[in-house]
Amino acid sequence: MKPFVHVPLPTRVIFGRGRIAEAATEARRLGMARPMVVATPHQAASCEELARAVGGTAYPYAVMHTPVDVTEKAVAFVLENGIDGIVSLGGGSSTGLGKAIALRTDFNQLVIPTSYAGSEMTDILGETEGGLKTTRRDARIQPEAVIYDPDLLTTLPDAFAMTSGLNAIAHAVEGLFATDGNPIVSLMAEEGIRALAAALPKGHAGHDDALYGAWLCGSVLGSAAMALHHKLCHVLAGSFNLPHAETHAIVLPHATAYNATSAPEAMGRIARALGVKDAVDGLHSLSKAIGAPVALKNIGMPEDGLDKAADIAVSSPYPNPRPLERAAIRTLLHNAYHGLPADRG
């Protein structure tokens, strides 16, 4: 066995149906007397209800990809209203804004996810400014506590649940490729993929197991370095404003195929978790079975932006098992754009 270093995540996890009832107690445990409850406009009513429950102030203005100008407005609101903590309710957009505020204020965070995004378990923040999405890691970004309540997923649209679940699986897949991975990360990754792959086709009946899998996959993302998949998705989402979960769902089999010959052990674990012989085929079959989108052209990607995306992706690459080759990345993007089979070359 190779030497490794593993640092357990510091985030406290509360899991179970009905556990949102403990939000006020958890907020007080974190020292919040006047928290700001962050959500998207779509969840404004739930945001107001939770704000009343925790004795805080509702702020339902989070948007996709965490634009810096939106964060700056939120921080100004924080300073003007005596806010002393952040409670984020929702998916990646709400969690992202909460993290961005915490980075600038060092406030404690309580996150209550309503999707399978997984970002609540990481010290990673992706921010968008000037058409570019940049990421950073910082201890101030890591939420102090998370409440996972499957009851909150009952109104999650099936289509979004499927893409959100594939987004979570992507975290685990990359954890198996990670240059700083270790046996603990690999165990969490394989179990997270297994749980989600089994739960997603069940729809609402699979919410508990899917949320459990998303927690594990998010923990993997919080414990290991990102690679090609996340690099491409950050480029596509940040530069072309594509929807986050759908982008991850489409890119996943293509990025996995790109690394297939360079990471055989990871491929074996992915295949085993999916209960198939081939990891790439298994990911493609799962995506097809749950009705996830397969083509970037169908979620708003302009074809004339593929060259720009390839250029950005190779200009500052993340560590990856296979070196990032511009021509091969351009082919990958072409196939993902048109919904073609993944290229393993």
Side-chain angles (χ1 to χ4, degrees):
M1 182 180 296
K2 295 180 180 178
F4 65 87
V5 174
H6 178 67
V7 180
L9 296 176
T11 301
R12 171 179 162 92
V13 172
I14 301 100
F15 192 106
R17 289 186 175 270
R19 300 301 289 271
I20 192 174
E22 299 174 32
T25 300
E26 197 63 24
R28 288 194 296 272
R29 190 188 69 82
L30 293 171
M32 300 181 191
R34 186 175 174 79
M36 182 166 84
V37 180
V38 175
T40 62
H42 177 71
Q43 294 176 301
S46 298
C47 183
E48 292 281 359
E49 181 180 354
L50 183 59
R52 288 192 293 271
V54 300
T57 302
Y59 194 85
Y61 305 113
V63 298
M64 191 168 58
H65 306 313
T66 320
V68 170
D69 61 332
V70 172
T71 299
E72 291 174 345
K73 292 178 182 177
V75 171
F77 182 91
V78 163
L79 298 176
E80 292 167 1
N81 290 275
I83 302 298
D84 62 1
I86 305 297
V87 178
S88 299
L89 174 71
S93 298
S94 300
T95 304
L97 179 55
K99 286 179 164 185
I101 297 169
L103 176 64
R104 291 161 172 82
T105 62
D106 203 20
F107 284 165
N108 284 339
Q109 300 174 75
L110 168 62
V111 183
I112 306 174
T114 61
S115 77
Y116 305 131
S119 59
E120 65 278 354
M121 291 304 297
T122 80
D123 63 352
I124 303 167
L125 172 64
E127 297 184 290
T128 305
E129 185 174 29
L132 291 175
K133 190 169 188 175
T134 57
T135 59
R136 62 190 299 180
R137 303 188 86 135
D138 190 294
R140 291 171 294 176
I141 296 170
Q142 183 83 36
E144 280 69 28
V146 177
I147 295 176
Y148 287 106
D149 187 339
D151 283 341
L152 302 182
L153 302 179
T154 55
T155 60
L156 188 67
D158 286 342
F160 181 72
M162 298 305 108
T163 55
S164 181
L166 289 172
N167 176 21
I169 287 175
H171 304 332
V173 167
E174 288 224 312
L176 292 169
F177 293 152
T179 54
D180 58 351
N182 63 60
I184 304 303
V185 168
S186 294
L187 285 170
M188 290 192 297
E190 189 170 337
E191 172 64 1
I193 295 170
R194 185 208 61 76
L196 276 159
L200 290 176
K202 298 177 182 178
H204 288 274
H207 280 167
D208 290 71
D209 288 342
L211 196 57
Y212 158 72
W215 162 55
L216 288 172
C217 292
S219 298
V220 169
L221 182 63
S223 302
M226 295 179 289
L228 170 64
H229 173 90
H230 280 83
K231 179 63 180 182
L232 287 176
C233 291
H234 289 162
V235 170
L236 294 169
S239 297
F240 302 97
N241 200 37
L242 302 187
H244 181 87
E246 288 87 341
T247 302
H248 279 267
I250 293 168
V251 170
L252 177 57
H254 297 276
T256 305
Y258 185 94
N259 283 321
T261 58
S262 299
E265 182 179 347
M267 300 300 288
R269 283 183 174 271
I270 297 165
R272 185 167 61 211
L274 295 171
V276 299
K277 293 182 178 180
D278 182 86
V280 176
D281 290 345
L283 290 170
H284 176 74
S285 295
L286 175 60
S287 183
K288 183 177 179 181
I290 62 179
V294 296
L296 291 173
K297 67 179 180 181
N298 294 333
I299 63 167
M301 179 67 191
E303 188 170 12
D304 61 7
L306 297 179
D307 282 315
K308 177 183 177 182
D311 290 338
I312 298 173
V314 299
S315 64
S316 55
Y318 296 168
N320 194 67
R322 175 183 168 187
L324 269 58
E325 304 159 9
R326 203 275 182 188
I329 295 299
R330 181 61 174 80
T331 298
L332 184 162
L333 290 169
H334 170 86
N335 293 339
Y337 177 83
H338 291 285
L340 299 174
D343 184 355
R344 302 166 192 259

